Amino acid sequence: MSDVAQFVAAAAKADPILSGSDGDQAAITKANSEFEKIASDLKLTPVTYLVGNLPTTADVNLYARLHPAVSSAPASQWPETPAVLRYFLHIQDLSGVKAAQKELPNAFPPVDVDVNSLPAPPRAAPAPKQKKEKKDKAAADGAAKEGKEGKKDKKEKKDGAAAAAGAPEGAKTEKKQKKEKAPKQPAAPAAPFVPVPSMIDLRVGKVLDVKRHPDADSLYVESIDVGEAEPRTVCSGLVKYMTEDEIRGATIITVCNLKPVTMRGVKSFAMLLCASSPEGKDGGVEFVLPPEGAKAGDRVYFEGEEFENATPEPQLNPKKKVFETIQPGFITLDNRDAAWINPETKSVHKIRTKDGVCKAKSFVGASLS
């Protein structure tokens, strides 16, 4: 078994959630086939995870393949490939990856990168547009004139032949006239798809019951009231971080429009929104909590005129990676308020219900997922 395969196996053994859901296997296989090119070109679309909304063995596999380049690269290189560096450091922080590094210390040891000391990424000026060369107008006019004269000669010969055959003088050969079609209007270019946080359906949930997953040591299976006729079944990888008693009866935030996934034989219909310690998940994981008075099914939304009255998508399309694009901007502020920071404008949009802002219990500067 290769070093990469051993490392991936050790990570999956430590955290079974990395094995993926039953429906993820084809996507994981496809992702694995593209790793050689990504690792050699160091080009990666900004993503949180390669498959779905949770880390899988595909992410550990790519991490191991990127490791030689990342560990040996000078600091001056990383501003040119920020997506690769961010992804690498995020996967390196997974509990399964850390466990594999302890089991195989000489395989792919942690890489310490001080992102605050990196130089700013270069901003190259756009290349000037090249003007298209004009065709020789005289040559074009000449060709058009010759074409008209040729058509005129043909018509005169045809009329003469008709007269010789006894056709009345001035008679013209009938032709079927084609109906003139209106020129087609060029289709307007489709607007680029831009994920926004209001597409995500966040709701207050009440945990009615929780138990260990029968076939996955790291997973709980919860029954959660999200304001619908029937509670939703949800799988979460919280065994390492919370007890059943801490979860049962909790009022929390749920992500309700992710595509359902089957995790070790149990279908999960939502995700619990949690805050991870700024030091990584080894530093702890806790729920993002709604304000006092919140009830199961209450709408959770983002502050801002453009978001507050928007309607979430019925179900997020995994191919469009809405949650994966928005999630890196989820954070808790200095007062523990949960928020999304727009990466383009740096504007802050707090996550709230009609009763107030949602908060983490204790973490400041935490990542939310």
Side-chain angles (χ1 to χ4, degrees):
M1 185 182 292
S2 68
D3 288 346
V4 172
Q6 284 183 320
F7 190 80
V8 172
K13 179 181 176 183
D15 186 0
I17 201 171
L18 293 172
S19 297
S21 67
D22 297 346
D24 289 339
Q25 302 312 309
I28 290 174
T29 301
K30 181 181 178 182
N32 288 339
S33 67
E34 301 171 353
F35 290 164
E36 293 296 340
K37 182 170 179 57
I38 294 174
S40 61
D41 296 348
L42 288 180
K43 290 183 180 179
L44 180 66
T45 303
V47 294
T48 303
Y49 303 118
L50 296 175
V51 178
N53 305 306
L54 295 170
T56 65
T57 53
D59 296 295
V60 182
N61 195 331
L62 180 54
Y63 168 85
R65 293 174 185 274
L66 289 171
H67 193 280
V70 175
S71 59
S72 62
S76 59
Q77 175 179 321
W78 294 122
E80 301 173 7
T81 54
V84 172
L85 182 61
R86 180 197 163 279
Y87 172 83
F88 180 90
L89 296 178
H90 179 59
I91 301 305
Q92 180 172 263
D93 197 45
L94 297 177
S95 59
V97 171
K98 290 183 176 181
Q101 288 169 336
K102 289 180 181 178
E103 182 178 336
L104 304 167
N106 297 322
F108 303 99
V111 178
D112 185 18
V113 177
D114 182 5
V115 294
N116 295 319
S117 67
L118 296 179
R123 295 183 178 274
K129 294 183 178 179
Q130 298 293 330
K131 293 184 178 180
K132 294 183 179 179
E133 294 184 4
K134 295 183 178 180
K135 293 182 179 179
D136 188 332
K137 189 173 184 301
D141 290 345
K145 184 176 180 181
E146 288 180 7
K148 288 181 179 179
E149 289 178 351
K151 288 182 180 179
K152 184 176 179 182
D153 290 343
K154 287 183 180 179
K155 184 176 182 302
E156 289 176 351
K157 289 181 181 179
K158 191 170 185 179
D159 289 345
E169 186 176 353
K172 295 182 180 180
T173 305
E174 293 184 359
K175 294 182 179 180
K176 292 182 180 180
Q177 300 296 325
K178 293 183 179 179
K179 293 182 180 180
E180 292 185 3
K181 295 183 179 179
K184 290 184 178 180
Q185 296 296 325
F193 178 79
V194 180
V196 292
S198 55
M199 293 177 178
I200 302 171
D201 183 4
L202 297 177
R203 301 184 212 169
V204 175
K206 177 81 170 179
V207 182
L208 304 178
D209 193 19
V210 58
K211 58 186 178 182
R212 295 288 289 268
H213 191 296
D215 297 313
D217 292 340
S218 65
L219 299 180
Y220 283 129
V221 180
E222 297 100 356
S223 177
I224 301 180
D225 178 7
V226 294
E228 299 170 337
E230 297 291 333
R232 293 196 184 195
T233 298
V234 179
C235 295
S236 61
L238 296 174
V239 171
K240 184 178 177 181
Y241 309 104
M242 302 181 194
T243 66
E244 293 180 31
D245 288 340
E246 289 174 319
I247 297 174
R248 188 179 291 107
T251 302
I252 40 80
I253 307 297
T254 55
V255 184
C256 289
N257 60 343
L258 299 174
K259 184 177 179 180
V261 294
T262 302
M263 304 179 72
R264 296 292 182 92
V266 177
K267 199 164 190 177
S268 179
F269 294 90
M271 188 179 81
L272 308 183
L273 189 65
C274 294
S276 299
S277 166
E279 287 74 39
K281 288 186 177 180
D282 283 351
V285 173
E286 60 188 30
F287 288 131
V288 176
L289 301 174
E292 289 291 333
K295 296 179 177 58
D298 282 357
R299 177 172 174 256
V300 180
Y301 57 92
F302 298 82
E303 289 183 343
E305 184 177 350
E306 66 272 41
F307 303 137
E308 292 185 7
N309 297 316
T311 301
E313 297 285 310
Q315 181 174 293
L316 297 179
N317 185 341
K319 294 182 179 179
K320 293 185 177 180
K321 297 193 176 296
V322 174
F323 187 82
E324 293 85 347
T325 302
I326 300 300
Q327 184 273 331
F330 286 167
I331 196 170
T332 56
L333 307 177
D334 290 345
N335 59 357
R336 297 180 288 108
D337 284 356
W340 175 70
I341 298 180
N342 188 321
E344 300 294 330
T345 64
K346 306 304 179 185
S347 57
V348 177
H349 304 269
K350 294 184 179 181
I351 302 172
R352 61 172 298 133
T353 73
K354 59 182 177 55
D355 298 309
V357 176
C358 303
K359 290 177 174 283
K361 182 179 179 180
S362 61
F363 291 151
V364 170
S367 173
L368 311 182
S369 61

